[in-house]
Amino acid sequence: MTDTFVPQNIIVTGGCGFIGSNFVHYVVNNHPDTHVTVLDALTYAGNIENIAGLPADRVKFVHGNICDAELLDRLVPGHDAIVHYAAESHNDNSIANPEPFLKTNVEGTYRLLEVARKYDVRYHHISTDEVYGDLALDDPHRFTEETPYHPSSPYSSTKASSDLLVRAWHRTFGVRATISNCSNNYGPYQHVEKFIPRQITNILEGIRPKLYGDGLNVRDWIHTDDHSSAVWTILTKGRIGETYLIGADGERNNITVLRDILEVMGEPADAFDWVKDRPGHDRRYAIDSTKLQTELGWHPEHTNFQEGLEQTIKWYSDNRAWWEPVKAATEEKYKQQGQ
Ligand code: NAD
Ligand code: TDX
């Protein structure tokens, strides 16, 4: 299938975060005709270093908040697409303090939809499989585009809310929108609060890794580069008004992932601590990405999890200066939560 839309000037919100910055690198490396404007508030999760060194004639950085309607009104003209990654993204933080999640994830999405509507700009909305709630470990089903919304946490309920706003703005106002709901990403530039980088950097710092609950919760891992290629495919070929699920058949339980990390890093299999479970902890996520694969021809390329994990461990080992400044404060916050 040929591209139906090749954007020339895209705004990437949250382009200094984990997945957004990987998408910016992906666009620069693979789509030479597209210019990127990164709009990012540089919260605790954003780091300008994530896009350092990219060519200035391809990537422009704007420091600002997606809730700032006046800024959006000035910024958006001259762009032909918005790819919206910016969010408060961490479940544990949403349990400790939900308010920023309401502000950024719900109000921020509303502001972007309003400006996309005003200037008739193509809008792609990045969301999560967590909007569908969770599955039992023995459930033979996986999430599809038809699965009813059933979010569990303050984080996932604000993401579900934002998805519903997108659907309404498409149907009522004709905003040219698509939505993607992706499973758990891993790879470089992921904040050390998240499971895989937290455990890798704990080991590098001589801290014992921390496993929640019984360790049997399942996540459906995808390399962030596969997420990027899927988003590009949907942005350029997706049918307006549609939702596409993104996943790479990467189901694994947490204890298996942790044991893989311990083994690669030369630690004994039991060198970790069991800690208090996350309240409302989703048991299992699993994505069926048949629609994206059959309708738009996307396929994941980085499906060797062991290889991807080893590269990720190497990245954190080689880039200590990137994560060391925020490590102690992150662990202190977890300690106060008993995790
Ligand atoms: P992240 O927390 O690493 O990055 C978020 C970025 O958004 C940061 O750069 C931050 O500074 C910026 N930001 C936050 N609030 C802002 C605001 N009000 N205005 C402007 N910028 C703001 O998040 P991530 O893990 O890269 O997730 C990116 C997106 O992908 C989110 O929408 C998330 O819901 C979605 N998603 C994440 C995963 C995952 O596994 N991490 C999976 C599926 C979907
Ligand atoms: O120290 C830990 N120990 C642990 O056992 C941490 C930080 C997590 N966990 C568990 C909780 C989850 O079962 O590991 C699993 C993964 O946890 P997170 O990295 O916090 O991710 P999750 O809650 O699954 O959400 C992620 O995927 C979906 C992203 O953070 C979301 O932004 C995305 O929407």
Side-chain angles (χ1 to χ4, degrees), residues 12-21 38-47 64-67 82-91 93-94 97-110 112 123-128 130-131 154-163 180 191 193-194 227:
V12 176
T13 72
C16 293
F18 162 46
I19 307 179
S21 65
V38 170
L39 172 62
D40 199 296
L42 297 180
T43 68
Y44 83 94
N47 188 341
N65 198 302
I66 55 167
C67 297
I82 298 170
V83 185
H84 176 34
Y85 285 92
E88 287 292 338
S89 68
H90 193 37
N91 275 298
N93 291 345
S94 80
N97 178 20
E99 190 154 339
F101 291 72
L102 272 295
K103 196 87 188 145
T104 287
N105 299 359
V106 183
E107 185 190 332
T109 298
Y110 159 67
L112 289 165
Y123 175 91
H124 180 70
H125 186 71
I126 305 296
S127 193
T128 169
E130 298 192 19
V131 300
Y155 162 69
S156 55
S157 62
T158 59
K159 291 298 292 188
S161 307
S162 70
D163 293 9
S180 55
H191 196 279
E193 68 190 356
K194 302 296 196 312
H227 189 181

Side-chain angles (χ1 to χ4, degrees), residues 55-216:
D57 60 338
R58 300 284 310 284
V59 180
K60 183 177 143 200
F61 173 65
V62 175
H63 186 196
N65 198 302
I66 55 167
C67 297
D68 183 343
E70 285 176 17
L71 168 66
L72 295 180
D73 202 52
R74 286 196 306 275
L75 187 64
V76 169
H79 293 88
D80 50 10
I82 298 170
V83 185
H84 176 34
Y85 285 92
E88 287 292 338
S89 68
H90 193 37
N91 275 298
D92 293 321
N93 291 345
S94 80
I95 296 165
N97 178 20
E99 190 154 339
F101 291 72
L102 272 295
K103 196 87 188 145
T104 287
N105 299 359
V106 183
E107 185 190 332
T109 298
Y110 159 67
R111 297 287 174 207
L112 289 165
L113 285 167
E114 281 292 82
V115 79
R117 172 189 172 197
K118 180 171 176 185
Y119 294 108
D120 189 23
V121 170
R122 173 83 170 84
Y123 175 91
H124 180 70
H125 186 71
I126 305 296
S127 193
T128 169
D129 58 358
E130 298 192 19
V131 300
Y132 300 113
D134 62 354
L135 298 161
L137 294 181
D138 62 355
D139 192 328
H141 300 99
R142 298 188 292 170
F143 299 140
T144 72
E145 288 76 5
E146 312 307 323
T147 305
Y149 273 36
H150 197 64
S152 315
S153 74
Y155 162 69
S156 55
S157 62
T158 59
K159 291 298 292 188
S161 307
S162 70
D163 293 9
L164 298 183
L165 294 178
V166 179
R167 290 181 183 193
W169 260 245
H170 165 65
R171 175 161 169 162
T172 305
F173 302 119
V175 171
R176 292 179 292 123
T178 43
I179 300 174
S180 55
N181 297 81
C182 188
S183 60
N184 282 62
N185 285 221
Y186 75 100
Y189 302 111
Q190 188 168 28
H191 196 279
V192 294
E193 68 190 356
K194 302 296 196 312
F195 180 61
I196 288 179
R198 184 183 184 201
Q199 314 313 341
I200 295 170
T201 56
N202 275 351
I203 295 168
L204 290 170
E205 291 280 85
I207 303 168
R208 282 164 72 85
K210 309 283 185 258
L211 197 57
Y212 296 174
D214 62 6
L216 298 179

